[in-house]
Amino acid sequence: MIRSEGAWLRISLAALLSFSILGMMFWGLFQIDLPFARFLRSLHIGWLERMGDLGTRLGSGAALIAISGGLLLGGWLWKQPHVHTAGFKSLLAHGLSAIVVQALKHGIGRPRPRLVHADNGLPWRPSLESGLDSFPSGHTAASFAVAAVLAKSFPKIAWLVYALAGFVAVSRAIRGSHFPTDVIAGICLGTIVGMSVIYPIREWKRCLLAMTVRFLPYLILVFSLLWLSTHLPHQSMADPMMVAGITIMVIGVAMRIFRVMCRVFAMKVAVTVASAQANRIIVIGVALTTGLWLITAVVGMLVVIQWLFYPEADTSSAVLEKESPSPLTHWIILAELSLMTGLALAVMTIQHLKGLLPIV
């Protein structure tokens, strides 16, 4: 990973900054939780509710056990040790995540969104009562624990299993069963449990930090989009930052498209822009659209982290691709980035053309 002198210091600093950003983002998400839950309660869209129900069923314990059991049985019947092992490990990851989640749910005792009426909501307290078990999301944690195992076992469908797990996560918020922080915590917890099953104990530290560095841009993007959906940026600050953010996003996506096209069509062009640089530019652009200098500062910290953790990434994307816990196809990466950019632009358009007020 990092072999030059001072590697330990760089990794330690990257870890410190990474977990600092995680703490800041979770703090910010807690500020959004209640407004976002109220916003979802105000929606009564049939197809959206049906999609939420579908995601809930997909992430249920019965569905996940059926998937793992099918792999376990199929690998044994057709004498495919690799498939059999994937089924066993995914079943193990599901079980471990369930144990950890239930301990946290009832030890923390956060009320579900449907029970929160006042601004301050109900107090958090250890409880075995139904409804006081919101944090973290069990469906989400189990889905990502299983997805992490399957993505490692079958890299070619990594994009599919993570997409399905992400669909389950979103469905839990859409149906009003969980707050955004519950879902994000479930993603983090499930991924960690899945990694603990996949990788040997001696590699946990390295893999956990690598996954954290990978996860941070998505967390910042999610926070930025949720903030935009619940707050109208202050005009005196937002307008120039909004223009700059949109411009930077367009540049980043263009860089990403150019690189992907060169690799897909084997174009004999010297591509010196690493994927990591394009990703940084896109995240910076989305963050700027929030009008929050705090988010812009966090993105700056993210750039420093990636430089510390992947010093070679500025000249080559090989290191990043090699270290990726779950490599995605180039087309899926492109679709993912385009979707994120489209969501950000859609939120901004709705706010500024229709003049929506903050949901506070």
Side-chain angles (χ1 to χ4, degrees):
M1 183 182 299
I2 301 176
R3 300 183 178 83
S4 61
E5 293 183 4
W8 181 87
L9 180 61
R10 285 201 299 272
I11 293 177
S12 299
L13 182 56
L16 178 62
L17 291 175
S18 297
F19 292 110
S20 297
I21 291 180
L22 278 177
M24 294 167 67
M25 290 295 94
F26 268 97
W27 177 86
L29 285 169
F30 275 117
Q31 314 311 309
I32 297 175
D33 273 344
L34 192 56
F36 191 74
R38 289 174 173 170
F39 170 68
L40 288 177
R41 281 204 302 267
S42 68
L43 298 177
H44 299 286
I45 304 175
W47 67 267
L48 192 61
E49 294 178 351
R50 289 192 293 273
M51 292 294 288
D53 292 336
L54 177 60
T56 297
R57 288 193 293 270
L58 179 62
S60 66
L64 294 177
I65 291 174
I67 293 172
S68 300
L71 292 172
L72 195 64
L73 181 61
W76 178 72
L77 290 176
W78 284 282
K79 302 186 184 304
Q80 297 291 328
H82 181 64
V83 177
H84 184 273
T85 301
F88 173 75
K89 288 186 175 181
S90 62
L91 192 62
L92 177 61
H94 183 193
L96 290 175
S97 69
I99 294 172
V100 176
V101 164
Q102 291 304 314
L104 290 174
K105 276 179 175 290
H106 299 291
I108 295 173
R110 184 184 194 184
R112 296 268 184 170
R114 67 176 183 274
L115 300 179
V116 178
H117 305 291
D119 288 340
N120 295 326
L122 297 175
W124 297 25
R125 56 183 173 82
S127 174
L128 295 177
E129 296 179 35
S130 176
L132 298 182
D133 55 356
S134 186
F135 185 91
S137 168
H139 283 69
T140 303
S143 298
F144 271 86
V146 172
V149 173
L150 297 184
K152 177 67 175 179
S153 303
F154 311 105
K156 291 184 178 180
I157 62 168
W159 64 271
L160 176 60
V161 295
Y162 275 123
L164 292 174
F167 174 64
V168 171
V170 172
S171 73
R172 301 306 288 159
I174 289 176
R175 294 302 291 141
S177 299
H178 289 283
F179 294 102
T181 45
D182 302 335
V183 173
I184 298 297
I187 293 174
C188 296
L189 179 61
T191 303
I192 291 173
V193 171
M195 288 173 55
S196 69
V197 173
I198 296 169
Y199 296 99
I201 295 177
R202 64 179 180 275
E203 296 184 14
W204 282 3
K205 183 178 179 180
R206 177 185 66 83
C207 294
L208 177 60
L209 182 55
M211 180 62 74
T212 301
V213 174
R214 285 266 173 190
F215 180 71
L216 285 176
Y218 298 98
L219 180 59
I220 295 172
L221 284 171
V222 169
F223 175 81
S224 300
L225 295 175
L226 290 176
W227 183 270
L228 284 169
S229 68
T230 55
H231 294 75
L232 187 65
H234 191 274
Q235 292 300 316
S236 62
M237 179 186 295
D239 286 345
M241 294 182 70
M242 189 78 66
V243 173
I246 294 174
T247 303
I248 291 173
M249 277 194 292
V250 171
I251 293 173
V253 171
M255 291 169 59
R256 191 70 173 177
I257 292 175
F258 176 69
R259 182 174 180 81
V260 170
M261 296 300 290
C262 288
R263 299 183 68 173
V264 169
F265 295 104
M267 296 171 60
K268 302 299 182 179
V269 179
V271 182
T272 59
V273 178
S275 301
Q277 292 175 310
N279 293 345
R280 293 171 191 168
I281 291 173
I282 293 172
V283 174
I284 291 172
V286 175
L288 283 173
T289 61
T290 63
L292 294 176
W293 289 106
L294 173 64
I295 303 301
T296 306
V298 166
V299 173
M301 292 171 61
L302 176 64
V303 173
V304 173
I305 290 170
Q306 292 181 334
W307 174 75
L308 289 169
F309 198 65
Y310 298 112
E312 300 91 344
D314 289 329
T315 57
S316 173
S317 62
V319 175
L320 283 173
E321 291 170 354
K322 182 179 179 180
E323 294 292 338
S324 174
S326 55
L328 306 178
T329 64
H330 298 132
W331 288 112
I332 296 301
I333 292 176
L334 181 58
E336 169 190 278
L337 294 174
S338 300
L339 176 61
M340 283 292 184
T341 305
L343 286 174
L345 293 175
V347 170
M348 290 183 294
T349 301
I350 291 173
Q351 285 188 329
H352 286 269
L353 293 184
K354 296 187 177 181
L356 290 180
L357 297 176
I359 308 174
V360 296

